[in-house]
Amino acid sequence: MQQSNLKLITELRHELHAHPEISGQETETKHRLMSFLAEHTSFAIHDEGSWFWVKIPGTNSSQPAIGFRADYDALPIPEDLDLPYASQNPGVAHKCGHDGHSSALAGLALELAGHEVPSDVYLIFQPAEETGAGGYASSRLIEREGIDQIYAFHNWSGIPRGCVALRRGVSQCASQGLSLDFKGITTHASNPEAGLNPSEAIAQLVLYVMDLAGVARLGNRHSCFEGFVLATVVGIEVGRKDFGISASHGELNLTLRAENESDLAKLKSLICDEASRLAKQTSLLLSLTDCDVFPETCNDDAAIDLVVAAAQRAGLPVVYLEKPYRASEDFGHYLKLASGAMVYIGNGEDWPPLHTSAYDFLDSNLEVAVDLWLSILGFVVPHVNLSANG
């Protein structure tokens, strides 16, 4: 990668980091990215409202079109690091590295400016990955434009710095939030039998869920599932701290995840059936709500082979993941429509984990990502200095 372009996207990354916006509110982030591309390239920028894309026309229309996607939303986590580019938005920070993902994709645009590419290249800039709300709409571009291959990367701690990590098949689990709302009848706490209190039903349901797919089940899963499953209680609320009133309303919030979507559907069905049984048994009203639904992220073998060859040409070490990551990624929507792969670039074994206050994107990975994308497109790139400081 040209060092002048690396300097530009590093500055862009720091600017985005200083002005983070949570999922669904990335108006200024999107404007900054579009303005950067308009200033430094002549490529047409297609504004789709909450997201946008860029097309670099190829010289040979018979060549398969290839796309690259980056996300740009931040998290509701305070910035605790003393950085010169620290977040200026209280309670919000780029603690997953999406500022780096989108800056690297902008860097690919800079590198391709003034160069011919054989196939059409699409750069997709997507919001709201953290909630799973952005990927589906943006992925429809694959069908609209006839994109044949699609790639994305995620920085990841625990992987050697600058290494490219890959997994064939599912690399990130499917998941969803599930809210179960129980409604009964209020009565005086001295006369609970005159009302309907949902606390016992919720308690029994929690025990059922934990036996079915709780943390104690890890490594010893229930026989009705084919692969890894996990149910996590993220919230329980029953009644209020009012000692004269027997609770009449309660809500149980769960995050369900599974290595494949079929097991996720089965896990949800079993929990909902048990909740319905308990509600009916105790004459409670039950309502169910799905939240933050993510598909499985399933890589194509041919795309993985292409990434391996590209990494080797660029002098980037490759490591293979034994198990899929439990964390979900809405890039799975894209992989249902085109051959492709989610690639992981290592922050280092001891780098702070994602989604923690100690985390910041590793700047040296900007060059790693851009050079990998360039190599996938057939450009010869110099080997990256993996010893560079972030």
Side-chain angles (χ1 to χ4, degrees):
M1 182 179 188
Q2 297 180 58
Q3 293 306 296
S4 58
N5 286 339
L6 178 58
K7 182 176 183 294
L8 285 172
I9 64 169
T10 301
E11 292 171 350
L12 172 64
R13 206 282 288 183
H14 293 175
E15 181 182 357
L16 295 178
H17 189 97
H19 303 90
E21 295 170 302
I22 61 172
S23 305
Q25 299 180 20
E26 311 95 323
T27 304
E28 187 61 29
T29 302
K30 173 175 168 260
H31 173 73
R32 290 176 190 275
L33 285 164
M34 292 177 66
S35 296
F36 178 89
L37 292 167
E39 179 182 354
H40 296 288
T41 77
S42 59
F43 299 132
I45 301 170
H46 303 268
D47 190 345
E48 297 284 348
S50 63
W51 61 284
F52 69 97
W53 55 282
V54 173
K55 178 180 179 180
I56 296 97
T59 58
N60 187 344
S61 59
S62 66
Q63 290 291 314
I66 185 168
F68 299 91
R69 168 272 204 177
D71 40 21
Y72 51 72
D73 51 329
L75 286 162
I77 297 177
E79 177 79 273
D80 292 336
L81 299 177
D82 184 16
L83 300 169
Y85 50 87
S87 170
Q88 298 176 24
N89 295 342
V92 182
H94 273 291
K95 296 300 178 180
C96 198
H98 296 183
D99 51 343
H101 300 167
S102 52
S103 295
L105 193 57
L108 178 59
L110 298 190
E111 291 290 299
L112 294 180
H115 293 278
E116 290 187 347
V117 289
S119 61
D120 291 343
V121 177
Y122 292 84
L123 312 181
I124 305 171
F125 292 82
Q126 178 209 304
E129 185 280 329
E130 295 292 352
T131 61
Y136 182 83
S138 303
S139 68
R140 301 306 99 179
L141 186 69
I142 290 176
E143 296 175 313
R144 281 167 47 190
E145 293 292 315
I147 301 172
D148 300 279
Q149 300 175 44
I150 187 74
Y151 297 90
F153 90 93
H154 206 300
N155 77 99
W156 212 276
S157 302
I159 299 170
R161 179 173 294 195
C163 285
V164 175
L166 303 166
R167 190 175 194 273
R168 297 182 184 277
V170 175
S171 64
Q172 291 188 244
C173 290
S175 73
Q176 72 156 90
L178 177 62
S179 290
L180 303 105
D181 187 272
F182 294 83
K183 290 184 179 180
I185 298 174
T186 303
T187 187
H188 197 284
S190 67
N191 193 29
E193 68 274 20
L196 293 175
N197 189 319
S199 57
E200 185 175 348
I202 290 177
Q204 290 182 26
L205 183 59
V206 169
L207 293 175
Y208 172 84
V209 170
M210 292 300 97
D211 181 64
L212 183 67
V215 65
R217 276 281 183 183
L218 292 176
N220 183 29
R221 65 178 177 269
H222 199 285
S223 60
C224 63
F225 301 111
E226 296 180 6
F228 162 84
V229 295
L230 177 65
T232 304
V233 175
V234 297
I236 302 175
E237 184 176 356
V238 182
R240 299 175 301 176
K241 192 176 181 180
D242 191 326
F243 298 99
I245 302 174
S246 177
S248 63
H249 175 261
E251 184 174 284
L252 173 63
N253 292 304
L254 305 170
T255 297
L256 313 180
R257 63 186 73 245
E259 185 171 342
N260 57 70
E261 292 173 16
S262 60
D263 272 346
L264 182 65
K266 183 180 292 185
L267 177 60
K268 176 190 171 184
S269 177
L270 289 169
I271 292 172
C272 291
D273 287 349
E274 179 65 9
S276 296
R277 185 189 72 79
L278 289 167
K280 184 177 181 180
Q281 177 180 290
T282 50
S283 301
L284 296 164
L285 295 177
L286 172 66
S287 61
L288 308 170
T289 305
D290 292 332
C291 309
D292 293 11
V293 179
F294 289 83
E296 64 191 22
T297 299
C298 190
N299 296 324
D300 178 75
D301 278 349
I304 291 291
D305 291 339
L306 191 152
V307 173
V308 170
Q312 291 172 343
R313 288 194 301 269
L316 299 170
V318 175
V319 296
Y320 292 92
L321 304 173
E322 293 184 7
K323 299 179 181 179
Y325 287 121
R326 296 181 192 175
S328 300
E329 166 58 74
D330 68 4
F331 187 64
H333 289 301
Y334 298 80
L335 295 175
K336 292 180 181 294
L337 301 175
S339 168
M342 169 57 76
V343 178
Y344 308 93
I345 297 178
N347 296 324
E349 293 93 333
D350 299 325
W351 198 258
L354 309 177
H355 289 222
T356 64
S357 59
Y359 166 85
D360 184 32
F361 183 87
L362 185 65
D363 281 336
S364 59
N365 276 342
L366 293 170
E367 185 173 15
V368 175
V370 174
D371 281 354
L372 179 62
W373 293 162
L374 287 170
S375 186
I376 286 176
L377 291 172
F379 288 86
V380 176
V381 297
H383 290 185
V384 177
N385 178 13
L386 297 182
S387 63
N389 292 324

